[in-house]
Amino acid sequence: MLQLTKRLAAVANFIPKDARVADIGTDHAYIPIYLVKNNITNFCIATDINKGPILKANRNILKYRIDTQHIILKQAKGLQGIREYKLDTIIIAGMGGYLIIDILKNDLDVVKGIKKLILQPQQDIPEVRKFLHMIGFKIDDEVFLEEEGKYYTIISASPGSEFYDQDYEYVYGKILIQKRDNDFIKWIYEKYDKLMSIKRQLSDLNTKSAIQRIKEIDKELLLHSEVMKCIS
């Protein structure tokens, strides 16, 4: 039986029962295979822009004896390969935040017909949160976890009107602040120590760039302190 990594398992856990799923940038197709093998869904489109991952995905589908009517592989850019299918859930995991935004923005008409977006941006997570609100999606839940020394955020969103009141809620995640999970709290304090350490090192320098960077860190620490008040 296929065992997912902690990160991929957290993504898969957001998929509703009997959803019709598109996994964009599928790579090895581990999530679609897991969803089908565990009877969470019986229909997935797995796409990737490059031929190599599609070949790897195909080998894995054969290895786990998945019927091709349950997982359809397509080499395609962004959401272009899923237009002809009736889908309700889109997964985009393991990409940069701005790339995820571009993929969604380029096919907004497709996105507007989706019931659930499961996103796992590697960077620029605040911008992804803001974009979701801008296009009429609300953030239902978030998971924050550590895997092999790296931290990951997974966002589940659905159609609806929502905006956060505070900047720090976009930067750190309003739901994550409310949930106060152990990995999140650990990361918050680690980040605070790291910012303070950088600031001390820069304080020994007397250059324009160092002074500018200290100002940026002070702004970040101001937001950070608001979050630390919420979780303490």
Side-chain angles (χ1 to χ4, degrees), residues 43 48 66 100-101 134 149:
F43 187 79
D48 206 287
I66 305 290
I100 290 175
I101 289 170
M134 189 180 75

Short mmCIF file of all heavy atoms in Angstrom, two decimals, residues 43 48 66 100-101 134 149:
data_model
loop_
_atom_site.label_atom_id
_atom_site.label_comp_id
_atom_site.label_asym_id
_atom_site.label_seq_id
_atom_site.Cartn_x
_atom_site.Cartn_y
_atom_site.Cartn_z
N PHE A 43 -12.10 9.29 -9.54
CA PHE A 43 -11.78 10.01 -10.77
C PHE A 43 -10.82 11.17 -10.49
O PHE A 43 -11.15 12.09 -9.75
CB PHE A 43 -13.03 10.56 -11.44
CG PHE A 43 -12.76 11.17 -12.80
CD1 PHE A 43 -12.61 10.36 -13.91
CD2 PHE A 43 -12.63 12.54 -12.94
CE1 PHE A 43 -12.34 10.91 -15.16
CE2 PHE A 43 -12.36 13.10 -14.18
CZ PHE A 43 -12.21 12.28 -15.29
N ASP A 48 0.94 17.49 -15.62
CA ASP A 48 2.25 18.09 -15.39
C ASP A 48 2.70 18.75 -16.69
O ASP A 48 2.37 18.26 -17.79
CB ASP A 48 3.27 17.05 -14.93
CG ASP A 48 4.38 17.68 -14.10
OD1 ASP A 48 5.24 18.38 -14.66
OD2 ASP A 48 4.36 17.49 -12.86
N ILE A 66 -3.76 0.71 -11.02
CA ILE A 66 -4.90 1.62 -11.09
C ILE A 66 -5.48 1.58 -12.49
O ILE A 66 -4.74 1.70 -13.49
CB ILE A 66 -4.48 3.07 -10.75
CG1 ILE A 66 -3.78 3.13 -9.39
CG2 ILE A 66 -5.68 3.99 -10.79
CD1 ILE A 66 -4.66 2.89 -8.21
N ILE A 100 1.58 29.54 -8.37
CA ILE A 100 0.21 29.10 -8.09
C ILE A 100 -0.79 30.19 -8.46
O ILE A 100 -1.82 29.92 -9.10
CB ILE A 100 0.06 28.69 -6.62
CG1 ILE A 100 0.82 27.40 -6.35
CG2 ILE A 100 -1.42 28.52 -6.24
CD1 ILE A 100 0.85 26.96 -4.90
N ILE A 101 -0.49 31.42 -8.09
CA ILE A 101 -1.37 32.55 -8.42
C ILE A 101 -1.52 32.69 -9.93
O ILE A 101 -2.63 32.87 -10.45
CB ILE A 101 -0.83 33.85 -7.80
CG1 ILE A 101 -1.01 33.82 -6.27
CG2 ILE A 101 -1.53 35.08 -8.39
CD1 ILE A 101 -0.30 34.94 -5.54
N MET A 134 -9.29 37.84 -3.02
CA MET A 134 -9.55 38.76 -4.13
C MET A 134 -10.43 38.11 -5.20
O MET A 134 -11.25 38.78 -5.83
CB MET A 134 -8.22 39.22 -4.75
CG MET A 134 -8.36 40.33 -5.77
SD MET A 134 -6.76 40.81 -6.44
CE MET A 134 -6.42 39.44 -7.54
N GLY A 149 12.76 18.82 8.85
CA GLY A 149 13.38 20.11 9.13
C GLY A 149 12.82 21.28 8.33
O GLY A 149 13.29 22.41 8.48
#
